[in-house]
Amino acid sequence: MTVKDIFESMDYGPAPESAADALAWLIDQGDRFGHFIDGEFTEPGDGFLSKNPATGETLATLTQATQADVDAAVAAARRAQGKWAKLGGHRRAKYLYALARLLQKHARLFAVLETLDNGKPIREARDIDIPLAQRHFYYHAGMAQLMEDELPGRAPIGVCGQIIPWNFPLLMLAWKVAPALAMGNTVVLKPAEYTSLTALLFADICRQAGLPKGVVNIITGDGAVGQMITAHPDIDKIAFTGSTEVGRQIRTATAGSGKALTLELGGKSPYIVFDDADIDSAIEGLVDAIWFNQGQVCCAGSRLLVQEGIADRFHDKLRARMATLRIGNPLDKCIDVGAVVDPVQLQIITDMVDSCEDGEIFRADTDLPEGCFYPPTLITGLTPAHPLMQDEIFGPVLVSCTFRTPAEAVQLANNTRYGLAATVWTENVNLALDIAPKLIAGVVWVNATNLFDAAVGFGGVRESGFGREGGWEGLRAYTKPSGKPKTLSPILPHEGSAGPEGLDRTPKLYIGGKQARPDGGYSKSVYSKSGKLLGQVPIASRKDVRNAVEAARGAAGWAKATAHLRAQILFYIGENLSARADEFAARIDAMVGGRQGHKEVDAAISRLFTNAAWADKFDGAVKPVPLRGAAMAMREPVGVIGVICPDEAPLLGLVSTMAPAIAMGNRVVLTASQAFPLAATDFYQVLDTSDVPAGVVNILTGPASDLADTLAKHMDVDAVWSFSSADLSAQIEAASAGNLKRTWVNNGQVRDWGKADAQTFLNAATEVKTIWVPYGEG
């Protein structure tokens, strides 16, 4: 080809990146790897091949971990953890800084090895993955330095089991290892079976950095190894990124174990284009949203929603742009789309698209090289309920439908079981900032896509998991309250046989702002310590739970009420409770036995005032991200929260859970103390006189175990908290796996209800949504 020909066609010529250094490093290791345990590589054992998906060539042989390997790695991490934590934040920061520097020094080696192992274009590995991994270690070196001052009363969790996917092997490692180490934890990490090589190279730089033995341990293998880590009794936390199906299995497997858990799972993220958008810019953003990393991105903008008036023009321009995408050798710096990670994943993508009998399928007309390549694909004309509009394909396949109005766009965008990310494209900033808060997603990008930074929390809602990676939000998941917890003994109701004295006043359930008789028609007696009958309370059934949740869902307007209004109502509840303080104190003394009533009522009033004060002050933040724009971390209510109230503080415990939840805009279904329920049934009379909107607070009485199970399984409940003196943790966590709702359980441990601890409850009552808004002309 002559220079004249090049100027005529304007085609890109090849710009291959040399793989020599990466291949030399593999050869230096003998092309065979053991595990990295206690600061050393073990002897290679029986294992599996790591192959280049673009060529099918074998890169190395990796060792399949056994239970003995997992035990050895966990034991090494356990031995190292106490010493690592005692080093203090400053000394840990120096190690993290050293790791960041070594990642920079070996950046090209990491990028090439990542491309060889994963199949992604070298430009993406070089310009995105590796710099972001470095950024996480630099950022968390600073977090380690600040921990002792900024997170008082928090301690490391201990040994963290971390399981990462194959789409961003080194970046996912950095997301998990950096905050864990910064907070004083040690780790046992399992990289994906397909893509373990950059994790093993990272192990090598851990040795170069002089990281103490056992702080980082890396073991390789298939999903069975992940199951061994999840089930290991000496691991304190599991952090998993991967599919929703496996996340659900991990939630079930860890139920009742006391292990902390964070899940970053799948998505089917909407990419919304309004008719006033800069169409050319929106299409370039869409190319990045869906064909970045061959669409193998959990937050990929795989669901295109285009306003009807511009849909035809947009799709035509998009097809023209797809025709120019360059597919080929991922080591070529001119390539846009590389190889799918493995033949198994390629077959999954192929089967899903081939099964589509609806809509119009457009594939980019391009020659595909030998290897795991799939052409960029657009499917238009699908209904919102079509399986390909609902199910994650995890490949370079975009599905599309249209909308007419902004309200319909929101409805279609939220019509999914996922809630990881969303993109809004419009030139109207008012429209963008109106739509973004309405989208059910952990991250929203405005006129941009796939923006990430270590300072910004990333994570989802619904079946996209729970917890955040990065920022202050991500750090809390690697800490726990300092101090040794005490075991909570079950508190049983008093027994008696005496009959009622005087006029019988039977309490009812409180549902939708009204007193309601139990659907089952059953009640139980409540006795004093001396055996005197104090009253009878209804036994709520599954139908009563259903009615209460339905009422709470119907009160969704509470989340839109101003924080000032919510504060005023909480103050009003406190005032009205204060007016009846003697009555409530006497009731508590009669039920519990003793003279704690006045102290508990005073604390409950104070707790109401504290949460009223926080209602308009527990705010978000604008994160200092390295771009011309703002990343706004906004606090949003979780939704409908079911609470199993404590027995040891029947009024104070109820108020301490209810007040922060409704202060943040949630609606609650409270199940009263099973042992001492009359304080709760008296309390709804206070709510009736305090302007609380119907459905915001619902109160049930009955067996805690039955009600907890129903709430945890309910698909319209967003979170369940349990502080019952009967340890219901395993039951609730296992049942919650259905829709992966958030859980906060006591694991049978004592909580000091006399301690306010407001921010812990406020954090549990909110989700952080990050809205990225770039600004400026260029």
Side-chain angles (χ1 to χ4, degrees), residues 79-409:
R79 287 193 300 272
Q81 196 273 318
K83 295 177 183 177
W84 177 247
K86 289 178 182 177
L87 280 181
H90 174 63
R91 293 177 68 186
R92 292 198 301 274
K94 292 199 291 185
Y95 281 111
L96 287 162
Y97 178 78
L99 289 171
R101 292 287 293 133
L102 285 166
L103 282 169
Q104 281 188 311
K105 290 178 182 178
H106 300 294
R108 191 56 64 97
L109 175 60
F110 272 104
V112 173
L113 189 60
E114 194 83 302
T115 293
L116 287 172
D117 203 21
N118 172 274
K120 66 177 61 187
I122 183 65
R123 286 187 298 118
E124 294 178 6
R126 179 195 66 196
D127 299 340
I128 299 172
D129 293 29
I130 310 307
L132 271 174
Q134 298 161 7
R135 165 77 172 143
H136 272 267
F137 279 96
Y138 276 124
Y139 179 83
H140 286 96
M143 286 298 200
Q145 184 77 30
L146 298 174
M147 178 186 178
E148 290 160 15
D149 291 332
E150 298 301 319
L151 293 173
R154 306 294 294 181
I157 285 181
V159 175
C160 300
Q162 302 180 324
I163 304 166
I164 59 175
W166 42 257
N167 54 344
F168 293 95
L170 185 69
L171 182 56
M172 293 296 101
L173 178 151
W175 278 21
K176 288 181 167 48
V177 171
L181 266 54
M183 297 295 99
N185 304 281
T186 54
V187 303
V188 176
L189 180 133
K190 189 197 88 67
E193 181 182 3
Y194 297 152
T195 55
S196 300
L197 296 182
T198 47
L200 295 167
L201 176 56
F202 178 78
D204 198 18
I205 73 164
C206 286
R207 294 195 302 185
Q208 296 177 40
L211 196 69
K213 292 182 177 181
V215 171
V216 171
N217 304 272
I218 297 174
I219 53 179
T220 55
D222 59 15
V225 181
Q227 292 175 344
M228 295 176 198
I229 292 173
T230 299
H232 202 287
D234 207 26
I235 285 180
D236 303 298
K237 172 183 168 62
I238 298 294
F240 172 76
T241 296
S243 72
T244 295
E245 178 185 357
V246 175
R248 190 174 282 113
Q249 294 170 5
I250 290 174
R251 168 71 287 177
T252 302
T254 57
S257 66
K259 289 183 174 72
L261 178 64
T262 49
L263 299 173
E264 197 263 283
L265 307 176
K268 193 70 176 177
S269 300
Y271 190 98
I272 308 169
V273 182
F274 287 95
D275 58 7
D276 67 340
D278 179 334
I279 292 180
D280 291 331
S281 295
I283 286 174
E284 286 307 305
L286 184 56
V287 167
D288 182 45
I290 182 59
W291 292 300
F292 172 58
N293 200 23
Q294 297 69 252
Q296 300 168 129
V297 184
C298 54
C299 57
S302 57
R303 199 159 45 104
L304 172 63
L305 309 177
V306 189
Q307 197 152 17
E308 200 170 82
I310 62 166
D312 290 342
R313 185 156 58 104
F314 189 93
H315 288 141
D316 288 344
K317 280 178 167 281
L318 178 58
R319 292 185 188 101
R321 179 66 178 91
M322 289 170 65
T324 67
L325 292 173
R326 300 176 297 275
I327 305 171
N329 175 14
L331 283 173
D332 187 338
K333 291 186 282 290
C334 293
I335 288 301
D336 297 309
V337 181
V340 173
V341 72
D342 187 84
V344 172
Q345 183 62 20
L346 179 62
Q347 191 61 51
I348 291 171
I349 297 167
T350 302
D351 290 346
M352 291 184 74
V353 175
D354 289 350
S355 69
C356 180
E357 298 178 353
D358 306 309
E360 180 183 341
I361 299 176
F362 174 82
R363 294 181 176 90
D365 185 14
T366 180
D367 294 329
L368 295 182
E370 292 293 324
C372 295
F373 292 89
Y374 194 88
T377 300
L378 168 66
I379 307 177
T380 55
L382 297 179
T383 63
H386 192 282
L388 293 188
M389 290 290 289
Q390 293 293 323
D391 297 334
E392 190 174 32
I393 300 173
F394 222 66
V397 180
L398 176 67
V399 295
S400 178
C401 69
T402 63
F403 66 90
R404 295 178 180 177
T405 65
E408 187 181 7

